[in-house]
Amino acid sequence: MVLADRFWRIIDEARRLADLSADRLTEYGLDIQAHPVPRSAWTDPALHPNPALVRAMRRDAKRTEGSR
């Protein structure tokens, strides 16, 4: 999940994403691995504490309905 570069806490967003993922697993059997990433790090992985993770996420990412 790419989030705007604003004030947000990774732990809060990770919990929200985990709740949403659990709902989809229960309803549809989908196993979603969502990790919040700031837009700036998505654009330039070197800005993230784990650039290799962001590069792998970019490689494997799937656009969702309603995403820009």
Side-chain angles (χ1 to χ4, degrees), residues 49-66:
N50 188 345
L53 174 64
V54 177
R55 285 192 295 275
M57 292 168 70
R58 287 177 56 96
R59 181 190 66 229
D60 299 334
K62 305 286 186 237
R63 278 200 178 267
T64 58
E65 186 176 315

Side-chain angles (χ1 to χ4, degrees), residues 1 14 17-18 20-22 24 30-37 53 57 60-62:
M1 174 73 60
L17 291 171
L20 292 171
S21 297
R24 296 304 147 307
L30 298 174
D31 185 16
I32 300 169
Q33 297 179 2
H35 303 280
V37 176
L53 174 64
M57 292 168 70
D60 299 334
K62 305 286 186 237

Side-chain angles (χ1 to χ4, degrees), residues 1 3-10 12-13 36-39:
M1 174 73 60
L3 300 173
D5 288 329
R6 296 194 179 132
F7 179 76
W8 50 270
R9 292 180 356 145
I10 193 167
D12 296 335
E13 298 306 322
V37 176
R39 186 179 317 272

